[in-house]
Amino acid sequence: MLATHRPLVVPIILAGLATTGGAAWGEGRSPVEAVAAETLSAGSQEQIRGTVQDGRVTVSVDGTVVFEYVAPASGPKCYVKTLCSPKGINVFRDSPPDHVHHHGLMFAVGVDGVDYWAEGPGCGTQTTQGTIHLETRQENGRSMARVLHPIIWRDGQGNPQLAEERELLLVRSNQPQFPTLLVWHTRLEVTETDTGRTLWGRHYFGLGCRFVEAMDTGGTFYNSAGGNSVATTNDKSAEWCAYSANVGGQPVTVVIIDHPRNLRHPSVWFTMDQPFAYLSATLNLANEKYFLKTGATLDLRYVVAVWDGTPSATEIEKVASRFSNSSGRLKGVNDKRE
């Protein structure tokens, strides 16, 4: 089983989030070393605060909630409920009446004969195994929050099938033209079997997000392969996929970026805009199952970027390129370098 509290590797994107000293994290130095070498601008820092209470992580910047992560004691899922653009527009919707099992930004697949995407009798659950850890800090014009969460995936009878170490890193710049960034890092290992587990899926299983109701109509999908509609992005492979729509008359864009080291990169995407909008980065498990051997690890990394406005493909590529090429590692405030 994965050891709890072990520092996870998080590639730091920060593309476009150039530091005042000119060097971005991961360029020749560790993030901690890079930050330590740069001068913080007095008075330029936002005030970030975080709390963990009853399985809910809440992060506020200057008194406004910008991020919420929910981990119910009995599941069925652990997920990001709230993620705001730099102007404070939340883009995710939790458990709408039409699909109550859609929870903001969530990750779920099938394991052996168990469905972790759906909810109800016979379905699997994701439950906390240990303690949720939260770190917050401000460095060089950025506000950051890091969540470490150990999870057990249990079948409908409560038997453990997978152990997950999940790490989430929120990065916000004090410059509103840059996107809010969320790094999602999942590590899965098999439990309670001498052989392994078969991962399977439907065409939308993976890292998926349900958008706020205002984004259900009038939006546009586009991707790194030049697609610009559902017809040209759904069930297509691409390094990233974006969705832009209006919220309260303000355009906002959500982009998910697949890391090149992920299984079956580039991701096969699920997109839809009728009767509501949805976006998932999938592992193509609907067409090809994956056997995770006992003792092996499935390591998955994604970036979710939220822009105010509609970024061009070139702007998104800058973020994607930094994410893909970065060898930077973020350590906790008190972590030692390995």
Side-chain angles (χ1 to χ4, degrees):
M1 183 179 296
L2 293 170
T4 58
H5 313 326
R6 181 175 63 196
L8 303 185
V9 177
V10 177
I12 305 305
I13 336 105
L14 302 181
L17 300 178
T19 65
T20 54
W25 285 7
E27 293 183 350
R29 293 176 290 181
S30 75
V32 173
E33 291 167 338
V35 169
E38 293 164 350
T39 302
L40 303 183
S41 300
S44 68
Q45 300 299 298
E46 298 176 308
Q47 295 301 309
I48 187 168
R49 297 288 185 269
T51 61
V52 181
Q53 185 173 7
D54 298 328
R56 182 183 296 264
V57 177
T58 303
V59 176
S60 301
V61 174
D62 288 343
T64 300
V65 174
V66 298
F67 172 83
E68 289 181 282
Y69 179 72
V70 179
S74 58
K77 295 187 184 74
C78 307
Y79 59 94
V80 175
K81 180 178 181 178
T82 301
L83 183 64
C84 293
S85 73
K87 290 183 178 179
I89 298 174
N90 175 44
V91 293
F92 294 144
R93 189 179 184 191
D94 181 20
S95 195
D98 54 19
H99 287 73
V100 295
H101 57 284
H102 288 176
H103 297 285
L105 178 70
M106 65 186 199
F107 176 77
V109 297
V111 182
D112 290 341
V114 182
D115 185 346
Y116 284 84
W117 187 276
E119 296 174 6
C123 293
T125 60
Q126 300 172 357
T127 57
T128 298
Q129 180 75 9
T131 303
I132 301 174
H133 290 270
L134 171 67
E135 300 170 334
T136 61
R137 67 185 185 192
Q138 286 133 332
E139 302 282 6
N140 201 44
R142 304 185 190 95
S143 299
M144 292 170 286
R146 180 177 182 235
V147 178
L148 296 177
H149 185 201
I151 299 171
I152 294 292
W153 294 40
R154 300 182 182 275
D155 66 18
Q157 290 72 49
N159 302 309
Q161 291 191 304
L162 296 176
E164 177 183 356
E165 281 188 332
R166 182 176 296 180
E167 181 178 22
L168 306 176
L169 172 68
L170 174 73
V171 182
R172 286 172 58 92
S173 171
N174 63 5
Q175 302 180 58
Q177 69 269 32
F178 297 133
T180 298
L181 299 173
L182 180 69
V183 181
W184 182 296
H185 185 193
T186 279
R187 295 175 65 174
L188 294 172
E189 286 188 359
V190 170
T191 63
E192 304 298 327
T193 177
D194 294 331
T195 54
R197 302 286 184 188
T198 298
L199 308 187
W200 59 274
R202 298 186 175 90
H203 54 292
Y204 43 82
F205 281 18
L207 182 68
C209 55
R210 180 69 187 264
F211 302 106
V212 291
E213 189 172 6
M215 298 177 70
D216 280 340
T217 58
T220 301
F221 287 97
Y222 57 110
N223 67 15
S224 62
N228 58 5
S229 64
V230 169
T232 55
T233 58
N234 183 48
D235 202 29
K236 309 296 184 186
S237 295
E239 295 183 354
W240 55 262
C241 192
Y243 181 67
S244 291
N246 288 340
V247 178
Q250 299 290 320
V252 64
T253 301
V254 179
V255 184
I256 302 180
I257 303 170
D258 187 44
H259 194 276
R261 283 184 285 180
N262 281 352
L263 177 69
R264 297 173 182 168
H265 175 83
S267 183
V268 174
W269 299 87
F270 172 79
T271 63
M272 65 176 288
D273 59 5
Q274 296 292 333
F276 54 83
Y278 206 93
L279 171 63
S280 287
T282 85
L283 299 170
N284 200 30
L285 295 171
N287 297 311
E288 184 182 359
K289 297 177 181 179
Y290 178 75
F291 186 73
L292 180 59
K293 297 179 181 179
T294 297
T297 301
L298 179 59
D299 197 313
L300 301 171
R301 308 172 189 185
Y302 303 91
V303 168
V304 180
V306 184
W307 268 271
D308 291 301
T310 306
S312 66
T314 300
E315 291 176 274
I316 297 172
E317 287 291 350
K318 290 180 181 178
V319 177
S321 177
R322 182 61 55 82
F323 178 48
S324 298
N325 296 328
S326 173
S327 60
R329 297 165 180 249
L330 180 71
K331 295 298 180 184
V333 173
N334 297 316
D335 290 341
K336 304 298 182 181
R337 286 189 55 78
E338 296 177 326

